[in-house]
Amino acid sequence: MLHAELLRKESTWAHIAALQSVFLQYGIPFSYYVDSHSIFRFVRGRDSLRYRHHQLTDEATPQWKQVLDDCNVKVIYALSAQAKGKIERPYQWLQDHLVRTCVRENVTEIQKARTILKQEIRHYNHRQVHSTTQEIPHLRFLKALEEGKTLFRPFAVNPPFESPKDIFCLRIQRVIDAYRKISLNNFQFKVNHSNPRDPVTLRIYPLNAMLSEVRVWCNNKLIDIQKIK
């Protein structure tokens, strides 16, 4: 199990941060198998007259998928309840065990629950023999790497990107105004090395709950970096 986190609320950034954790530590996987949650896939008009209920369209690309597109990772969507069950069923035991442990130990704070989750993941990866493979998952993973029997590939920042922050980020499109400024969440700031009416992409990397690094890209070139609250 490469990543697990306990959060108060699911968010796009939390899923992007999870991608960053896995890619930087283990490498880039061949594909991701996910459900059709709006974080993973844009779904339009499934109940409209024009689109049948089972049809899904990718007319807009969610932030999470843009990260995978930058890394050339294929996304496979579970389009039925049965297919979705394949994602959730293997880890149902962990969710149930986590809840039972928290109840037994009278844990009511999320930070303490996170500690228990980390302990469970460590036990599963490094000590527990898998019921199907009859091997310890961590040792099996290392063996696959040594023998070249893995679809993971090393992570690298490829041009024109200059940092992992240019990949594992939130993206917003803006146009430079006549004063060489742009606005973001009602905050206006000047962009260095820019020209009026230039279209730019803001690649926003949250540093913490209060501060984000905004990396301004224009014509595949990083032209400015600013930190904004």
Side-chain angles (χ1 to χ4, degrees), residues 7 26 29-30 61 69 111 126 134 159 163 170 182 205 213 216 223:
L7 302 169
Y26 300 102
F30 176 75
T61 304
D69 288 345
Q111 194 57 46
H126 296 274
Q134 295 300 307
S163 164
L170 302 169
I182 56 176
Y205 186 88
E213 182 175 307
V216 185
I223 62 173

Side-chain angles (χ1 to χ4, degrees), residues 9-56:
K9 184 179 180 180
E10 192 172 17
S11 69
T12 294
W13 173 245
H15 280 282
I16 292 176
L19 293 178
Q20 177 178 250
S21 175
V22 172
F23 288 17
L24 296 186
Q25 184 173 357
Y26 300 102
I28 300 176
F30 176 75
S31 63
Y32 259 77
Y33 188 64
V34 297
D35 60 23
S36 290
H37 191 287
S38 59
I39 288 176
F40 307 134
R41 190 176 198 186
F42 172 75
V43 181
R44 176 187 171 186
R46 286 183 292 178
D47 298 322
S48 69
L49 294 176
R50 183 178 177 185
Y51 294 90
R52 294 183 180 180
H53 182 79
H54 67 274
Q55 289 180 316
L56 303 174

Side-chain angles (χ1 to χ4, degrees), residues 53-182:
H53 182 79
H54 67 274
Q55 289 180 316
L56 303 174
T57 62
D58 292 316
E59 295 183 5
T61 304
Q63 300 273 350
W64 178 85
K65 189 173 184 298
Q66 290 181 50
V67 174
L68 293 182
D69 288 345
D70 282 345
C71 296
N72 294 317
V73 176
K74 180 181 179 181
V75 180
I76 302 172
Y77 295 99
L79 301 181
S80 67
Q82 293 80 3
K84 184 178 179 181
K86 292 181 180 180
I87 302 174
E88 299 175 343
R89 197 175 303 113
Y91 305 109
Q92 186 65 45
W93 67 269
L94 177 60
Q95 297 178 42
D96 293 342
H97 187 65
L98 177 62
V99 172
R100 289 196 297 269
T101 302
C102 288
V103 171
R104 184 173 61 251
E105 299 185 10
N106 196 29
V107 172
T108 58
E109 298 179 3
I110 190 171
Q111 194 57 46
K112 292 183 179 179
R114 285 172 177 161
T115 299
I116 294 175
L117 175 60
K118 290 180 180 179
Q119 293 172 349
E120 293 294 337
I121 297 299
R122 190 179 303 111
H123 176 80
Y124 175 84
N125 284 338
H126 296 274
R127 300 185 63 183
Q128 183 170 315
V129 176
H130 196 278
S131 60
T132 301
T133 65
Q134 295 300 307
E135 295 181 79
I136 294 176
H138 179 68
L139 298 180
R140 178 180 171 84
F141 185 74
L142 292 179
K143 181 180 178 181
L145 291 176
E146 292 174 357
E147 297 178 353
K149 296 180 180 179
T150 175
L151 293 178
F152 280 84
R153 64 185 190 275
F155 173 80
V157 178
N158 296 318
F161 303 127
E162 299 184 6
S163 164
K165 295 178 182 179
D166 295 320
I167 300 172
F168 304 104
C169 60
L170 302 169
R171 303 109 189 276
I172 299 177
Q173 307 296 322
R174 288 290 187 270
V175 176
I176 305 294
D177 68 14
Y179 301 97
R180 292 184 170 83
K181 294 182 178 181
I182 56 176

